[in-house]
Amino acid sequence: MAKKITIFIFIFLLAILAIAFIAKVFSPKAAQGKYDSFAKCLAGSGAVMYGAYWCSHCENEKAAFGASFSYVNYVECTKDTQKCLTNKIEGYPTWLFPA
């Protein structure tokens, strides 16, 4: 009888830990980045970052923003070549801010 109670308590505690872990991972706060406000402000002002996937400096900037980079207006010049040519982008990364 005591062994069954011990097993029940173990399974119950394991279930509680699993629920806590899932809640932590999938909570909206877990998806927030450190610089969300800054990145949203840049996007709202119309700022655009132009870069290329192979550019180490671009990757460093993306890494600095972390999860918040998803809010940045970003143009991948290897995919959207015309936008980069139109805006006379000659080096990466290039940030353009509206006048």
Side-chain angles (χ1 to χ4, degrees):
M1 178 79 169
K3 190 173 182 178
K4 286 183 181 181
I5 291 174
T6 304
I7 292 173
F8 175 78
I9 291 172
F10 177 76
I11 292 172
F12 178 77
L13 291 175
L14 193 59
I16 296 282
L17 288 173
I19 291 169
F21 175 77
I22 290 169
K24 174 75 173 161
V25 169
F26 292 105
S27 72
K29 211 163 188 75
Q32 291 182 345
K34 185 176 180 181
Y35 300 110
D36 283 0
S37 296
F38 179 56
K40 288 177 183 178
C41 179
L42 285 171
S45 73
V48 180
M49 178 184 159
Y50 294 84
Y53 70 90
W54 49 260
C55 168
S56 62
H57 301 295
C58 300
E59 292 304 312
N60 289 340
E61 288 206 22
K62 291 176 187 177
F65 274 95
S68 302
F69 191 75
S70 64
Y71 296 108
V72 172
N73 294 325
Y74 175 70
V75 175
E76 174 63 43
C77 288
T78 62
K79 293 183 180 177
D80 202 347
T81 310
Q82 192 55 48
K83 272 188 184 176
C84 297
L85 292 172
T86 301
N87 288 295
K88 299 179 176 136
I89 305 302
E90 296 178 357
Y92 309 117
T94 296
W95 284 87
L96 293 183
F97 298 88

